[in-house]
Amino acid sequence: MDKLSAAVVNGNYQNPVLPMDFSDPDAVRVGEDYYLISSSFTYLPGVPVLHSRDLVHWERIGNCVERLPFDRYAEPAHGCGTWAPALRWHDGRFYAFIPLPDEGIFYTTATDPRGPWSELHCVKAASGWIDPCPLWDDDGSVYMAHAFANSRCGIKHKIQLSRLDPETLEVIDDGPIVFDGTLTQPTAEGPKMYKRDGWYYIFIPAGGVEYGWQTVLRSRNVLGPYEDRIVMHQGNAKTNGPHQGAWVDDPQGNDWFLHFQDRFELGRVVHLQPMCRHNGWPFIGLEQNGDGIGEPVDAWRCPQGEAVGGLTVSDTFPGGVPGLQWQWQANPQPEKWLRRGADGLHLVCGSAATIWRMPNMLSQMLPAADFTAEVKLSLTNAGAGAKTGVVIEGHTYSAIELCRSENGCLLRVLRGDVKESVLRGQVVPVSGALSEAEEVILAEKKLDMTEIAVTIKVTDARQVQYGVAAGGENTPLGAAQPITRATWTGARLGVYARGGTEADTADIAVFAVKF
């Protein structure tokens, strides 16, 4: 399988339609095409753009953000960067509103979703403003609903509605708090704003990412007061915490809702739900237990439309260029970190002490809960001290690493544990703080070669077994290692080069994934 796509059985799609960590999705339809963006924190290029013709089959076509315009992102700043974005189509242009929880709200625009996208423009410089969503009203006014990050500004559970300048899209009036969910809708966040049939709707997830629900606010007046109603929750379904997402309609007039589910180590995967309206209220999913609230479906009839694309995971790096699925761990410096030319990935060795702190670590989302990968590593073009490897990165991470010394090469399995402040089981990134990790060697094997094919086997997104591929056989190296999530993301699958000097290059001929 060259590309990963949603399963379809007898004309019914199977959830999730995007089984990878496309966190905090938002989507729009333009004509017969659908476009979706998601958060990406400090994995860059960021805010990926996906395209579909049927809401079920998706392909990745670009990124909204090439780099972040702040010096701190020259180094990894795990959990910071681009949080939940909003995507809108207005007057012939795409607009992506993107929050940076420490710096403020920004937007970028494009006429072609594949890019180029404009530089980031500041809507509001603020700490703790997150999850923005604009609305262009019929009278020419522009509003922006947004939430707050308690970790940055001490405010939680509240939705504010700000007025924007129609020309610059900068905030000209912070505006009122239009909803306070402290008592009934705790952790109200992720607002997505719409106007339909004279109603203003604000969709807000509440109750927390892992086990929360989807709420809708509605009012005849943009400034409220707003009524609220829970329109989807887990109920008796198996899908936990049906959460933040996007209301889209299809060309036939049917309504749909794309949302994420937190799958822990695998990240936040995207589901598609049928949706309708009754007495002016949206209803999402299927009512299955008699409580009058929708529950997420496991499968449903496919929307009309052409099946296109698929998500690329494997790579042979034509021309030495990584595919769209790959992201750096900080602002990209490909002219410094890559040697381009011949096919294959040619990584310049970096100097960071640990993988967690490497800006030039190249990674992608876990492609599935169960998969195997074979990666051909070479240090033929590197001297003593150079290392290259494949990592499954999270707060506890592990890697299989080829190391060159004066006396030959070693193959190692190592483990790293990140040291950060922890609150209620979640790592809380502190603005400006650097998180560190400690690495230990778990297994080691001497080699009489400078290149080798290594394997990783991931099981249930919970553990990984490293090994060596030779002659059609796979020989394990060391014991299976645990997989954990990273800061606000699932675990990441990455490759890297470190040690040695900047004249040393690690070569990766192929990165092949099988399901």
Side-chain angles (χ1 to χ4, degrees):
M1 182 188 301
D2 294 326
K3 294 187 177 182
L4 187 64
S5 292
V8 175
V9 179
N10 296 326
N12 295 322
Y13 68 84
Q14 313 294 303
N15 271 320
V17 293
L18 281 169
M20 295 167 67
D21 192 13
F22 290 101
S23 178
D24 309 315
D26 194 26
V28 296
R29 177 177 64 85
V30 180
E32 296 184 352
D33 296 279
Y34 304 92
Y35 301 98
L36 180 148
I37 64 174
S38 72
S39 58
S40 54
F41 306 94
T42 55
Y43 299 109
L44 293 156
V47 189
V49 184
L50 284 75
H51 167 252
S52 176
R53 299 273 289 183
D54 65 355
L55 289 171
V56 174
H57 301 88
W58 294 87
E59 59 182 344
R60 191 165 179 169
I61 60 172
N63 296 281
C64 293
V65 178
E66 289 298 316
R67 57 190 299 111
L68 297 173
F70 299 96
D71 291 343
R72 65 179 294 206
Y73 296 110
E75 301 291 334
H78 295 280
C80 303
T82 59
W83 283 23
L87 180 64
R88 290 294 180 266
W89 167 258
H90 172 71
D91 197 23
R93 300 190 72 85
F94 291 91
Y95 290 83
F97 273 57
I98 301 167
L100 277 62
D102 298 305
E103 291 88 9
I105 305 295
F106 300 82
Y107 80 88
T108 176
T109 183
T111 54
D112 184 341
R114 290 168 175 79
W117 288 78
S118 69
E119 297 294 322
L120 290 176
H121 301 274
C122 185
V123 175
K124 170 76 173 185
S127 177
W129 282 37
I130 59 170
D131 305 350
C133 183
L135 174 76
W136 282 263
D137 210 345
D138 300 334
D139 63 0
S141 300
V142 186
Y143 299 92
M144 181 183 73
H146 70 91
F148 295 94
N150 184 56
S151 60
R152 270 50 174 204
C153 63
I155 303 173
K156 194 176 182 181
H157 320 297
K158 298 179 181 180
I159 304 299
Q160 188 170 38
L161 193 62
S162 301
R163 186 186 291 271
L164 307 186
D165 183 292
E167 296 298 325
T168 67
L169 298 182
E170 296 175 3
V171 171
I172 55 176
D173 179 7
D174 286 0
I177 300 295
V178 295
F179 184 74
D180 185 343
T182 302
L183 298 180
T184 61
Q185 304 288 346
T187 319
E189 58 183 355
K192 296 294 182 289
M193 198 170 183
Y194 310 90
K195 187 177 183 181
R196 299 284 193 279
D197 301 327
W199 287 103
Y200 294 91
Y201 294 101
I202 304 178
F203 282 52
I204 58 168
V209 168
E210 295 178 2
Y211 300 107
W213 53 86
Q214 184 64 46
T215 294
V216 168
L217 314 178
R218 75 170 189 179
S219 175
R220 290 289 190 183
N221 188 310
V222 66
L223 297 178
Y226 281 88
E227 309 169 84
D228 64 285
R229 176 178 291 189
I230 296 174
V231 298
M232 181 175 62
H233 65 172
Q234 181 173 355
N236 293 344
K238 68 180 183 181
T239 301
N240 59 289
H243 216 254
Q244 181 174 169
W247 172 12
V248 294
D249 61 4
D250 64 27
Q252 292 74 41
N254 304 300
D255 292 316
W256 302 89
F257 188 70
L258 289 154
H259 69 93
F260 77 72
Q261 172 204 14
D262 192 337
R263 290 281 300 277
F264 307 99
E265 293 83 5
L266 189 58
R268 300 172 182 179
V269 302
V270 180
H271 291 236
L272 177 65
Q273 302 297 335
M275 176 179 153
C276 63
R277 281 179 285 168
H278 180 66
N279 292 332
W281 283 105
F283 182 92
I284 302 173
L286 183 65
E287 205 291 287
Q288 302 176 67
N289 65 352
D291 62 7
I293 301 173
E295 299 174 32
V297 301
D298 296 330
W300 199 257
R301 59 173 176 78
C302 288
Q304 294 184 35
E306 175 189 0
V308 299
L311 298 172
T312 301
V313 179
S314 300
D315 207 345
T316 56
F317 312 101
V321 179
L324 283 174
Q325 69 268 37
W326 296 100
Q327 296 168 295
W328 302 102
Q329 201 163 235
N331 268 337
Q333 299 183 58
E335 69 286 348
K336 179 179 179 182
W337 297 338
L338 291 177
R339 302 268 194 261
R340 295 185 178 179
D343 291 353
L345 189 66
H346 312 289
L347 291 171
V348 177
C349 289
S351 59
T354 64
I355 298 168
W356 183 255
R357 294 295 307 145
M358 290 184 66
N360 58 325
M361 196 273 281
L362 196 61
S363 71
Q364 60 174 291
M365 308 163 188
L366 288 190
D370 297 274
F371 68 93
T372 59
E374 182 174 315
V375 186
K376 295 182 180 179
L377 304 174
S378 173
L379 289 175
T380 301
N381 295 311
K387 305 172 185 178
T388 185
V390 184
V391 61
I392 299 287
E393 189 184 54
H395 291 141
T396 294
Y397 61 88
S398 57
I400 185 166
E401 186 174 73
L402 179 64
C403 313
R404 188 159 190 179
S405 69
E406 296 288 355
N407 301 316
C409 284
L410 296 170
L411 190 64
R412 292 173 172 168
V413 171
L414 61 88
R415 175 170 165 167
D417 290 290
V418 178
K419 301 185 296 181
E420 288 191 88
S421 300
V422 177
L423 177 64
R424 289 184 296 175
Q426 287 286 343
V427 174
V428 179
V430 178
S431 177
L434 296 180
S435 52
E436 298 298 342
E438 292 181 345
E439 294 180 358
V440 295
I441 298 170
L442 303 176
E444 195 169 78
K445 175 184 177 69
K446 289 186 177 181
L447 302 174
D448 58 1
M449 60 190 78
T450 58
E451 56 185 32
I452 193 168
V454 300
T455 61
I456 65 170
K457 180 176 177 58
V458 170
T459 305
D460 196 29
R462 297 297 176 88
Q463 65 176 18
V464 54
Q465 176 65 61
Y466 297 99
V468 179
E473 299 293 326
N474 180 31
T475 304
L477 182 60
Q481 297 303 310
I483 295 175
T484 67
R485 66 176 70 196
T487 309
W488 310 131
T489 76
R492 303 278 299 187
L493 172 60
V495 293
Y496 63 90
R498 60 177 174 169
T501 71
E502 291 186 359
D504 291 322
T505 302
D507 303 308
I508 300 174
V510 64
F511 190 97
V513 176
K514 297 180 180 180
F515 303 98

